[in-house]
Amino acid sequence: MTGWLLTSLALQNLGRRKARSFLLIAAVAIGSGVVFTGAALMRSIDDSMAVGFTRLGADMMVVPDGTLTNITAALLTVEPTDLVLDADVLARARLASVGRSAPQKIVRVEHSGIGSHHDLVDLIGIDPARDFTVQPWLKEKLNRAFRHGDVILGAGRDAPLDSQLLIFGKPHVVYGKLGRTGVGTHERGVFMSFETFDALAAAMPLHGGARPAVLAPGKVTGFLVELAPGATALQARFAILSAIKGVKVVTGDSSLSGIRQGLAALLQGILALMVLMFASMAVMVSVLFSAIVTERRGELGLLKAIGARRAQMIGMMVIEAVIATGVGGALGVTLGVLVMRLYERSLVYYLENIGVPFVWLDLPRTVAVAAAAIVLAAAIGALGSFYPAWRASGRDAYDLVRGEG
Amino acid sequence: MLVCRQASKSYATERGVVSAVTAIDLDVPAGRFAAIIGRSGSGKSTLMAMIGGLSRPSGGTVEVDGTDVWRLSENARAAFRNEKIGYVFQFASLLPTLRLIDNVALPAMLGRRRPVPEIHTRAAGLLERLGLGAYFDAYPSEISAGEQRRVAIARALINDPALLLADEPTSDLDEQTEIEIMDELLAVNREVGTTLVLVTHNLALADQAEQIVHIANGAIVA
Ligand SMILES: Nc1ncnc2c1ncn2[C@@H]1O[C@H](COP(=O)(O)OP(=O)(O)OP(=O)(O)O)[C@@H](O)[C@H]1O
Ligand SMILES: [Mg+2]
């Protein structure tokens, strides 16, 4: 019962200096908004980087030497290119350090009948028996084996399972859909077996230019490679480069380590900033509440004189602070969510450009981060107000009433 | 009822130790009306604060209703102040954010011994009795200084204290108001039997008391 009484006293106190309360709430909102947004993005980027290599399953990629590998391509999806390799080039080399290898054919086409007229679509041929980077991502699929005429759609494409998909006028069946990976080619790709790919290649209209080399049977755009157990990336790279001419090997470490290290440093910097932000918020709340306590010492003394216990006096002040900072925290999180929604597109685009495939934090963990930010903000209010309230409440009531202490 | 033995209070200041009250012995039997008089700065408020459990004595003991006030734990003393002592300050002392009725009810609400509707009925009755029936919902800033003092008296009475301490409750008020307020305090003393200790500069008023305590320089003079 006194809990409710103290809360209503605290609320009334907050209402006394509306401008001050508002500024306090605004300051906490900005702080916790930044911290929430920062934390959510950090977790997302962290996840995305984890997706980049390990979850896609390949350790390295073997592509023709001239292939432009931008960083996105280095995230182990083969990018469309005019250069090709023989499909059996790796198998012939018989390298001990190379484990599984999955060849892929990729062609980027226009006017395919998928999406709107000018949409560029990546058609990707895989060998279902050897593939280990695409099928593990199947989120839903038909209850039968993958066969000729079937296609698998990336998460970015929308078509119901088992529906018919016309590609260059030829009917295909949507066999399955991939889960979100954040990797562009994977998200927007239309995957099919080499058989289906070759059949489609024959039907593809030529628009003046030469026929892309990859459409020829027996040619592939590149290989996704897994290291043999115990082999190091360096051994495999050396073995591949010395056995096969005209290829380059893109490994996770060499191409991404720089970015990863940079990002890790950046994330640590953000983390440090967030900690500092919270610390300065705590100091600010503490300074503000010692001033508020000083301003109200007469009233606190009066409360004490009429029999308020020390815990009740502290409780009243702490509740006031917790309400203000808690509301500030909630407001900050709301703002953070709005800002992220607002900049989602450009942010994802930007990050993918610098080579980070972006996967947003899932809902439960976003909620957890939001709750943590709000709880932290409220905790700062509690901590910042506790000490001044504790000190004041320990004084003699008469000293407080007389305006000392 | 009220027993002070060698009660003293000194303050450490930059100019050295200031002795506000020195070794006061005081006995006030239950139900009595005692007046404390003395010049400004003689230590009257300091003594009252020690009696009321608001200011810890530097030495000596204060016993109210058989309880050594300053040997109680902090929480027990808070409860004791809440239940046993009604205190009317020398200056305005209402919480500005609370309506008058809530100001009066506050000590009872903090004590949480009675149901809320009962507390409110009682608070309303006290306000009514002190002539503030029309102002239940008003805020302290909306009433005069004399009216505020009456509200403070109503608040001091809400828990039926055994000891009512009033430190110059009428010092800044006009004569007519002073008389009215004193009548209320005396009525409580007579009708309910509440022990009343009153600090006053008004000697005519002090004359009505059953016991006069004259303080000078922090000590009782004959
Ligand atoms: N916190 C303090 N620090 C230092 N000296 C103090 C303090 N409180 C009171 N005093 C001194 O103690 C003495 C007694 O003060 P007190 O307020 O008890 O007087 P009083 O009799 O109530 O006076 P008045 O009639 O003006 O209210 C004064 O000399 C005052 O200066
Ligand atoms: Mg005084």
Side-chain angles (χ1 to χ4, degrees):
Chain A
M1 181 189 118
T2 50
W4 172 239
L5 176 68
L6 297 179
T7 306
S8 82
L9 284 172
L11 280 172
Q12 278 155 350
N13 281 334
L14 270 177
R16 287 162 90 160
R17 295 281 198 91
K18 295 205 174 56
R20 182 171 69 190
S21 303
F22 174 79
L23 287 176
L24 169 63
I25 290 173
V28 174
I30 292 169
S32 39
V34 167
V35 168
F36 163 73
T37 316
L41 285 179
M42 250 177 72
R43 303 273 349 136
S44 298
I45 291 174
D46 232 30
D47 282 7
S48 304
M49 295 202 322
V51 166
F53 260 95
T54 52
R55 280 167 71 194
L56 284 181
D59 295 312
M60 48 179 56
M61 188 164 76
V62 179
V63 291
D65 202 9
T67 306
L68 280 177
T69 42
N70 66 29
I71 308 296
T72 311
L75 289 172
L76 298 206
T77 56
V78 181
E79 286 279 300
T81 167
D82 271 350
L83 301 166
V84 290
L85 295 172
D86 287 338
D88 58 353
V89 66
L90 260 183
R92 267 182 300 159
R94 294 178 192 279
L95 302 168
S97 50
V98 169
R100 289 191 292 178
S101 66
Q104 288 194 355
K105 283 166 169 265
I106 301 190
V107 64
R108 184 162 288 173
V109 295
E110 230 181 330
H111 311 299
S112 61
I114 303 173
S116 68
H117 201 57
H118 283 286
D119 273 0
L120 289 173
V121 176
D122 288 343
L123 301 178
I124 304 170
I126 57 173
D127 178 347
R130 293 169 70 189
D131 161 66
F132 58 93
T133 66
V134 177
Q135 289 165 98
W137 286 89
L138 272 172
K139 197 175 65 182
E140 32 178 349
K141 65 179 186 80
L142 295 180
N143 200 12
R144 60 167 173 79
F146 187 47
R147 66 185 181 211
H148 186 67
D150 284 348
V151 296
I152 293 172
L153 299 182
R157 302 218 165 263
D158 225 18
L161 279 191
D162 213 11
S163 63
Q164 206 190 52
L165 189 69
L166 287 176
I167 310 178
F168 294 114
K170 295 190 78 167
H172 293 79
V173 174
V174 177
Y175 169 78
K177 289 181 176 181
L178 302 183
R180 285 186 59 91
T181 61
V183 181
T185 336
H186 236 252
E187 295 273 288
R188 294 184 298 274
V190 176
F191 300 83
M192 59 196 73
S193 67
F194 282 155
E195 242 186 316
T196 316
F197 189 91
D198 290 343
L200 195 54
M204 233 175 263
L206 286 176
H207 291 286
R211 194 171 186 75
V214 72
L215 295 185
K219 299 290 179 191
V220 298
T221 311
F223 297 88
L224 294 163
V225 172
E226 211 177 47
L227 293 174
T232 67
L234 207 66
Q235 287 170 344
R237 163 190 281 274
F238 187 74
I240 294 168
L241 289 179
S242 50
I244 308 167
K245 297 288 161 259
V247 298
K248 70 174 172 185
V249 176
V250 183
T251 50
D253 281 344
S254 65
S255 62
L256 267 192
S257 59
I259 285 188
R260 277 203 182 148
Q261 281 159 0
L263 263 178
L266 182 72
L267 294 188
Q268 270 165 16
I270 293 178
L271 192 72
L273 271 181
M274 278 165 30
V275 169
L276 281 179
M277 190 109 185
F278 261 123
S280 79
M281 235 157 80
V283 170
M284 180 197 77
V285 169
S286 179
V287 167
L288 180 62
F289 269 83
S290 22
I292 291 179
V293 163
T294 305
E295 175 185 298
R296 299 216 194 111
R297 63 190 158 197
E299 289 166 33
L300 287 170
L302 185 74
L303 275 170
K304 188 164 187 171
I306 62 176
R309 278 177 289 122
R310 211 170 157 183
Q312 291 174 317
M313 297 164 68
I314 297 174
M316 185 184 79
M317 297 305 299
V318 169
I319 289 172
E320 177 176 348
V322 165
I323 289 175
T325 52
V327 166
L331 211 66
V333 166
T334 313
L335 285 176
V337 169
L338 287 179
V339 166
M340 284 201 287
R341 283 274 162 276
L342 215 61
Y343 289 100
E344 185 170 358
R345 280 166 175 278
S346 49
L347 183 79
V348 171
Y349 177 78
Y350 172 74
L351 282 171
E352 285 189 353
N353 260 348
I354 62 164
V356 180
F358 206 69
V359 184
W360 281 99
L361 201 57
D362 53 33
L363 188 65
R365 283 195 301 161
T366 308
V367 170
V369 172
I374 295 172
V375 167
L376 265 176
I380 279 175
L383 284 178
S385 58
F386 180 85
Y387 181 66
W390 177 79
R391 257 180 69 106
S393 66
R395 306 289 309 239
D396 273 349
Y398 189 62
D399 291 343
L400 289 170
V401 168
R402 279 175 48 107
E404 290 148 20
Chain B
M1 171 69 205
L2 168 61
V3 182
C4 296
R5 288 289 171 265
Q6 296 294 302
S8 56
K9 176 86 187 182
S10 49
Y11 293 100
T13 70
E14 282 161 18
R15 288 162 288 105
V17 177
V18 174
S19 189
V21 168
T22 38
I24 282 188
D25 284 329
L26 177 65
D27 288 274
V28 180
R32 188 174 273 189
F33 167 26
I36 297 180
I37 56 170
R39 296 191 49 182
S40 185
S42 56
K44 307 181 294 294
S45 294
T46 307
L47 175 62
M48 290 287 271
M50 291 193 291
I51 296 172
L54 307 185
S55 178
R56 180 178 284 280
S58 315
T61 57
V62 175
E63 230 176 70
V64 174
D65 213 10
T67 304
D68 187 336
V69 178
W70 290 100
R71 282 185 60 182
L72 294 173
S73 72
E74 183 131 33
N75 279 345
R77 189 162 48 251
F80 188 82
R81 280 194 296 264
N82 184 260
E83 285 168 45
K84 292 290 173 74
I85 297 174
Y87 207 104
V88 183
F89 286 95
Q90 197 170 351
F91 35 78
S93 60
L94 301 177
L95 288 186
T97 55
L98 296 185
R99 298 176 304 162
L100 298 190
I101 182 114
D102 297 321
N103 260 293
V104 173
L106 191 56
M109 300 289 281
L110 282 172
R112 58 185 161 179
R113 280 179 304 275
R114 277 179 288 186
V116 178
E118 196 185 312
I119 292 172
H120 272 263
T121 312
R122 188 171 156 74
L126 281 166
L127 279 175
E128 195 88 55
R129 179 171 154 189
L130 286 154
L132 290 162
Y135 295 106
F136 290 174
D137 288 334
Y139 286 88
S141 59
E142 298 161 8
I143 59 174
S144 75
E147 286 162 341
Q148 288 188 27
R149 210 53 52 85
R150 285 180 223 235
V151 178
I153 292 171
R155 183 182 62 200
L157 295 174
I158 186 88
N159 278 343
D160 269 328
L163 176 61
L164 182 56
L165 302 171
D167 186 357
E168 298 189 54
T170 53
S171 59
D172 49 356
L173 304 177
D174 66 88
E175 215 166 318
Q176 187 56 36
T177 311
E178 176 169 30
I179 291 170
E180 284 171 18
I181 287 181
M182 287 319 302
D183 282 348
E184 292 299 340
L185 289 174
L186 289 179
V188 172
N189 170 247
R190 291 207 195 95
E191 290 161 23
V192 191
T194 307
T195 310
L196 171 64
V197 179
L198 171 82
V199 175
T200 182
H201 279 298
N202 187 327
L203 293 181
L205 245 168
D207 270 343
Q208 295 182 45
E210 298 154 282
Q211 180 180 353
I212 297 181
V213 183
H214 188 176
I215 294 188
N217 289 325
I220 295 183
V221 291

